[in-house]
Amino acid sequence: MIIYTKLWKTLKDRNISQYKLINTYGISTGQLDRLRKNESVSTNTLDKLCDVLDCTLYDIAEYIKGPETN
């Protein structure tokens, strides 16, 4: 499972608000909602966030191994 907990810390560290992501950089409210809920988002959105925040994917996302299913 991919989680985006690191995104919120990186936003804070870069002093960029969600409002600015929406109104200046064109990240949709729907995509931010999906990120908040750790739902899937497009690679284009992740790429744009990395560009805006001048960071790597590892600064905004993390893979957590979920329980194995049979």
Side-chain angles (χ1 to χ4, degrees):
M1 174 170 147
I2 297 174
I3 61 170
Y4 301 101
T5 308
K6 291 181 174 185
L7 169 62
W8 315 113
K9 181 182 181 328
T10 301
L11 281 171
K12 186 175 180 180
D13 291 347
R14 303 286 197 284
N15 201 29
I16 296 177
S17 67
Q18 292 180 49
Y19 178 86
K20 190 170 186 176
L21 283 179
I22 295 163
N23 292 296
T24 303
Y25 300 108
I27 304 292
S28 75
T29 56
Q31 288 297 312
L32 286 176
D33 190 49
R34 293 178 72 73
L35 288 160
R36 267 188 231 92
K37 295 176 182 175
N38 293 316
E39 295 176 349
S40 56
V41 295
S42 72
T43 54
N44 289 337
T45 297
L46 296 175
D47 182 56
K48 190 167 192 174
L49 286 168
C50 287
D51 186 47
V52 166
L53 298 171
D54 190 29
C55 67
T56 69
L57 187 57
Y58 298 107
D59 295 317
I60 62 175
E62 182 178 9
Y63 173 74
I64 303 292
K65 187 171 181 171
E68 299 203 20
T69 57
N70 292 327

